[in-house]
Amino acid sequence: MKNEVTFTTNSEKETMDFGRFLGERAQDGLFIALTGDLGAGKTHFVQGLAKGIGIEGVVGSPTFTIMNIYEDGRLPLKHFDFYRLHSEDDLWNIGWEEYGEGGVVVVEWADMFPSLIPEESIHIHIVLSGEEERKITVSWSGKAPVEITKEIENYAAGRSEEHTSELQS
């Protein structure tokens, strides 16, 4: 069974705030699969996630390096970008089996190699739906960590309530 929530953010900061929210609640072994078009806000989300984990340094997209590892937070953050890879072999050659688990793993362009994404992953799809507005859809299977999925559901419900009260104002 697949579970899903969708909400909207209205700026890069709000997208980063969602990342921070998840980072503050992240536990060892959390795997996040990110998808969305170029410029949708995937890296901004990861920057917020890193802040939530307690990583203070600059967090950039690993588009050309394939992965960046940050170990100065309360959990290690392993940030992958599959965009420039041609095959799964490219990942196995850099040690995917070692780096692809433990700490918090985030993969941008996760849809390129879906067989590498574990069942317990949190899937986040970001779509730029306006100049600053982003539609964020978060989905997961029954194998995803219940503690974090409950938090995501509460977050999305709060975003809907905020949006409703803004419309009523």
Side-chain angles (χ1 to χ4, degrees):
M1 181 176 170
K2 196 109 174 161
N3 300 287
E4 182 176 286
V5 295
T6 300
F7 57 91
T8 301
T9 61
N10 296 301
S11 65
E12 288 176 356
K13 181 190 177 309
E14 286 185 13
T15 302
M16 291 174 74
D17 287 347
F18 174 57
R20 180 184 289 243
F21 174 86
L22 284 185
E24 290 169 349
R25 290 152 181 80
Q27 298 175 2
D28 189 44
L30 179 62
F31 194 109
I32 299 173
L34 285 175
T35 57
D37 293 332
L38 279 171
K42 296 181 294 295
T43 301
H44 286 110
F45 166 82
V46 177
Q47 290 167 339
L49 181 76
K51 293 283 185 218
I53 293 172
I55 296 165
E56 294 301 324
V58 175
V59 173
S61 177
T63 301
F64 295 101
T65 59
I66 310 306
M67 87 174 149
N68 291 330
I69 298 176
Y70 306 93
E71 298 185 285
D72 60 332
R74 66 179 176 79
L75 294 167
L77 174 62
K78 301 167 187 176
H79 182 194
F80 289 85
D81 189 322
F82 288 179
Y83 187 73
R84 297 202 177 279
L85 299 177
H86 300 289
S87 74
E88 289 180 13
D89 288 340
D90 295 336
L91 283 164
W92 294 112
N93 290 337
I94 63 167
W96 174 253
E97 67 280 356
E98 178 184 339
Y99 296 118
E101 55 186 45
V104 176
V105 177
V106 180
V107 175
E108 293 190 41
W109 299 97
D111 50 342
M112 291 185 66
F113 304 112
S115 66
L116 295 177
I117 308 304
E119 281 185 90
E120 64 273 8
S121 299
I122 304 293
H123 296 262
I124 300 175
H125 184 70
I126 304 173
V127 175
L128 196 56
S129 53
E131 194 170 315
E132 291 289 327
E133 186 178 273
R134 287 159 179 82
K135 182 175 131 186
I136 299 178
T137 302
V138 185
S139 60
W140 60 91
S141 75
K143 298 205 180 229
V146 173
E147 303 83 17
I148 197 102
T149 59
K150 293 268 184 231
E151 294 286 349
I152 292 167
E153 288 175 326
N154 291 337
Y155 185 91
R159 297 287 308 167
S160 295
E161 289 167 11
E162 284 177 27
H163 184 66
T164 301
S165 57
E166 285 171 9
L167 291 175
Q168 293 173 350
S169 309

